[in-house]
Amino acid sequence: MSAVTATKDRGWIIALIPLGTLVLFFVAPMAYMAAVSVFKNDPAAFFKPAFVLDNYAKFFAPFYYSISLRSFVQAGLGAGIVTLLGFFTVLFVSDQSRWLQRFWVILLLSLLCLSEVVIAFALLILFSQSSGIPKLLAWLTLWDNPRSLYPSFGAMMAGYVMLGFSIATLMLFPQVSRRDRAIEEAAQGLGTAPALLFLRVTLPMFRTALLAAFITLFVYFLGVFVMPTMLGGPQNWNMTVIIQDRAVERFNMPLGAALAMIMLALTAVLAALLLWLNRQQRAEDA
Amino acid sequence: MRGLILKDVAKSFGTVPVLQNINLSIQTGAFVCLLGASGCGKTTLLRTIAGFEDLAAGDIRLDGQSLNGVPPYQRNIGMVFQSLALFPHLNVIDNIAYGLSIRGMGRAQRSARAQELIALVDLTGMERRRVSALSGGQKQRVAIARALAIEPSLFLMDEPFSALDAGLRERLQKQIKQLQRRLGVTTVFVTHDQQEAMTLADQIVVMRGGTIEQVGSPSDIYHRPQSRYVAEFVGQNNILDITVKDGTAYWQQQPIGPAKAWPAQTTLALRPEHLRQTTNPSDGVSGRVSFVRQLGSVIETQVEVGALTLIQTQLANTAPLPDVGEPVGLAFDLTHAWELPA
């Protein structure tokens, strides 16, 4: 038997490692959650195996679908803001010297070390009436009646930005930094004024990369728990907080599982829709 | 005056001067090649004309209008970049029509103009193809068509064929020359390839260290170089420091032929094709073959004469290929020798 054939024969053993990881950490929990979502709730024992669709039906109550809609809007808005901010930052950084680029990348990587709780707590202090921005503005006599800036939608969005900023920039950096600067010069030579250059050339050139960053952040922000809880307040709670509340606080695992399954399906549909739209656009271009 | 005029153009990067005292006049419709080694400033000069680099001093005029301070997007100059810089998010026809759409031309009109150019560069049937799906030569032609679509007052090309294989490069050189003749657009073409410059140019500008070394027709540059650098850079040349005595030229203390009206001591440039191998030592100088190579229809022989090396070429099949180490005589045809300015 040749060495090549022997390696091919043993290939399936190597494939077992990722397959096993996938089954253990993704397929099994998902399958179990899917199963629990059709079980009956039993306050005494969490749930009883059954096949009921009541948990799914509850989603169509105004409370749940309005919160899920809010979750999508919040995640979409957050992802949009962070993607654009990240894009502008990367455009700026990629035009700096090698040394400065390295400095920025290290800084952004170090931001990734900060957990959601740490970021939320830092912002909580910054926005608090007693020690943060309001106090500073009052001291500068710019704000007569200072009050805490959280909980609020703005505080929560600030949290989203801080949380996702390094992810967006690090996702976009490789493509943007390797871009051919001559493309922008060519556009200028063909008559594009600097004001139009960004919209006509730079932005469309990175459409797919921006969409990938947006979808990644969108999915990530849908699952954010600490930001809405600590900085957003009840009026800004998203579906993740509600699922946690139903499953853990109110001991209704089947309802929590059903809501999570619906969110998963909706997210997948939205992401697929965005990718399909991008593909359609590319096909139109071609 | 119509055409491109550069007057005392200078440019520095920080404290390093990259262009100095550039004076050049290019007539409308001419095809000019900027020729020079890497780092001589030819691309910087091209970018300065296009407006992508600021001038430190001097004046650039196009058809009588000063371009100083005019931003690139208002110059109406079409440029083909070394990397081609095609828009990756647009297909072939949209790349070509881009400049027209920026100028506010209607969809039907710009589509017709783009189709015209597509036919001109022989890309018919590829209008909807993504640029990433094109071959190197097709990309080149899209870049050329895109730059020409705006009917530029000046057409600039920055080593556009440097990444192509020899066969394709030759085909595109012919096409671009024919296209330029047909459209009559003033063209400045940057290259480090002297053969390319010879093929394409009406006028060659040889650059060295940020300055212009010589401007002239390909024939002038080849046969009448104005400096030792040009003589050695453009094609191969034998540079001979000679002495003249009693109407005879001496090189390495050996008579090499009748002198023209040269001073007692001077430097000559003699092309390799004007040396002839001989078996009679009294015809010229004798040396030893140090290197031989066959270049298709021509054989190049390098002959060591003392500490110096001469290059001689002859048509293949006119004489047997000499062996390395073989003693050989070289006769000089000084009627073709060109005296280099001191």
Side-chain angles (χ1 to χ4, degrees), chain A residues 180 182-194 196-197 200-201 204-205 207 281-286, chain B residues 47 52 72-73 76-77 81 83 85-91 94-95 98-99 101-103 128-130 146-147 150:
Chain A
D180 182 2
I183 292 175
E184 282 146 344
E185 288 181 344
Q188 284 189 63
L190 291 166
T192 317
L196 268 180
L197 192 64
R200 292 292 301 252
V201 177
M205 208 159 62
R207 188 176 59 206
Q281 186 63 45
R282 281 171 68 95
E284 247 175 59
D285 290 346
Chain B
R47 289 176 58 79
F52 298 124
Y73 63 92
N76 197 38
I77 292 176
F81 291 78
S83 67
L86 297 177
F87 303 127
H89 58 289
L90 299 179
N91 59 24
D94 288 342
N95 257 283
Y98 178 86
S101 115
I102 285 291
R103 281 161 173 73
R128 302 279 153 201
R129 205 170 277 190
R130 294 192 73 78
R146 183 181 68 174
I150 59 170

Side-chain angles (χ1 to χ4, degrees), chain A residues 171-218:
Chain A
M171 274 186 81
L172 294 169
F173 187 77
Q175 278 210 41
V176 176
S177 64
R178 280 200 305 262
R179 78 187 189 278
D180 182 2
R181 265 62 167 187
I183 292 175
E184 282 146 344
E185 288 181 344
Q188 284 189 63
L190 291 166
T192 317
L196 268 180
L197 192 64
F198 180 75
L199 284 177
R200 292 292 301 252
V201 177
T202 315
L203 199 61
M205 208 159 62
F206 294 105
R207 188 176 59 206
T208 306
L210 289 167
L211 185 69
F214 175 84
I215 291 175
T216 305
L217 289 166
F218 177 71

Side-chain angles (χ1 to χ4, degrees), chain B residues 194 222-223 225 230-240 268-278 291 293 295 298-303 309-315 318 329-334 336-338:
Chain B
Q194 25 136 335
Y222 190 78
H223 296 294
V230 175
E232 286 181 320
F233 184 74
V234 181
Q236 288 182 315
N237 232 328
N238 294 295
I239 308 297
L240 312 169
L268 302 181
L270 188 66
R271 293 287 176 188
E273 59 267 29
H274 299 130
L275 288 178
R276 183 171 48 85
Q277 285 184 34
T278 171
F291 180 72
R293 61 174 174 167
L295 304 164
V298 170
I299 295 170
E300 179 192 303
T301 309
Q302 293 187 10
V303 178
T309 302
L310 294 175
I311 306 166
Q312 183 267 336
T313 56
Q314 63 191 48
L315 288 176
T318 54
L330 286 177
F332 296 71
D333 180 359
L334 292 184
H336 291 101
W338 174 252

Side-chain angles (χ1 to χ4, degrees), chain A residues 68-271:
Chain A
S68 64
L69 184 68
R70 181 202 294 164
S71 307
F72 284 122
V73 171
Q74 283 174 0
L77 189 65
I81 292 171
V82 173
T83 304
L84 272 181
L85 274 177
F87 186 49
F88 284 122
T89 306
V90 168
L91 281 174
F92 167 75
V93 170
S94 62
D95 283 338
Q96 305 301 306
S97 65
R98 279 261 162 236
W99 186 90
L100 270 175
Q101 282 188 32
R102 217 170 295 145
F103 167 79
W104 273 98
V105 170
I106 291 168
L107 191 74
L108 291 166
L109 278 170
S110 61
L111 268 179
L112 279 178
C113 303
L114 300 176
S115 72
E116 200 185 332
V117 176
V118 172
I119 292 171
F121 191 64
L123 289 176
L124 201 116
I125 295 168
L126 193 70
F127 293 144
S128 70
Q129 186 184 343
S130 55
S131 58
I133 293 170
K135 185 155 188 175
L136 178 73
L137 292 176
W139 181 73
L140 293 169
T141 66
L142 293 171
W143 198 357
D144 294 337
N145 254 336
R147 59 177 177 77
S148 177
L149 292 171
Y150 78 92
S152 68
F153 183 78
M156 188 183 70
M157 276 295 136
Y160 278 21
V161 169
M162 214 167 151
L163 195 61
F165 185 69
S166 49
I167 298 171
T169 47
L170 290 171
M171 274 186 81
L172 294 169
F173 187 77
Q175 278 210 41
V176 176
S177 64
R178 280 200 305 262
R179 78 187 189 278
D180 182 2
R181 265 62 167 187
I183 292 175
E184 282 146 344
E185 288 181 344
Q188 284 189 63
L190 291 166
T192 317
L196 268 180
L197 192 64
F198 180 75
L199 284 177
R200 292 292 301 252
V201 177
T202 315
L203 199 61
M205 208 159 62
F206 294 105
R207 188 176 59 206
T208 306
L210 289 167
L211 185 69
F214 175 84
I215 291 175
T216 305
L217 289 166
F218 177 71
V219 174
Y220 180 47
F221 287 160
L222 272 178
V224 162
F225 178 80
V226 178
M227 294 301 169
T229 317
M230 284 176 77
L231 296 168
Q235 71 276 19
N236 292 308
W237 280 359
N238 62 6
M239 207 57 171
T240 311
V241 179
I242 300 302
I243 290 169
Q244 190 270 350
D245 176 73
R246 296 302 180 265
V248 181
E249 306 294 332
R250 301 189 190 189
F251 308 109
N252 193 342
M253 281 286 185
L255 177 60
L259 294 175
M261 289 301 292
I262 291 170
M263 287 302 285
L264 183 72
L266 288 174
T267 308
V269 167
L270 265 174

Side-chain angles (χ1 to χ4, degrees), chain B residues 144-294:
Chain B
I144 291 166
R146 183 181 68 174
L148 291 174
I150 59 170
E151 295 183 30
S153 313
L154 184 64
F155 183 37
L156 308 177
M157 301 180 88
D158 184 10
E159 304 203 44
F161 307 143
S162 58
L164 301 178
D165 64 76
L168 183 57
R169 191 162 60 223
E170 224 168 274
R171 276 203 302 279
L172 281 170
Q173 282 169 0
K174 280 181 199 155
Q175 282 182 4
I176 194 72
K177 181 76 180 171
Q178 286 165 349
L179 199 63
Q180 192 270 342
R181 284 253 166 88
R182 203 157 135 192
L183 300 174
V185 60
T186 314
T187 303
V188 182
F189 188 104
V190 161
T191 182
H192 62 266
D193 180 344
Q194 25 136 335
Q195 257 185 337
E196 191 165 68
M198 290 282 178
T199 309
L200 292 171
D202 301 323
Q203 201 177 24
I204 294 176
V205 179
V206 182
M207 292 186 68
R208 182 195 186 193
T211 58
I212 291 176
E213 194 78 9
Q214 186 176 347
V215 181
S217 67
S219 171
D220 274 346
I221 298 286
Y222 190 78
H223 296 294
R224 290 173 284 282
Q226 291 304 306
S227 68
R228 190 179 181 124
Y229 177 80
V230 175
E232 286 181 320
F233 184 74
V234 181
Q236 288 182 315
N237 232 328
N238 294 295
I239 308 297
L240 312 169
D241 293 317
I242 61 154
T243 51
V244 177
K245 209 170 149 189
D246 303 328
T248 302
Y250 290 82
W251 179 69
Q252 300 279 294
Q253 279 89 46
Q254 296 180 69
I256 56 170
K260 292 187 199 169
W262 295 323
Q265 282 198 323
T266 191
T267 303
L268 302 181
L270 188 66
R271 293 287 176 188
E273 59 267 29
H274 299 130
L275 288 178
R276 183 171 48 85
Q277 285 184 34
T278 171
T279 46
N280 181 4
S282 63
D283 277 356
V285 299
S286 48
R288 200 169 285 277
V289 175
S290 62
F291 180 72
V292 182
R293 61 174 174 167
Q294 183 138 14

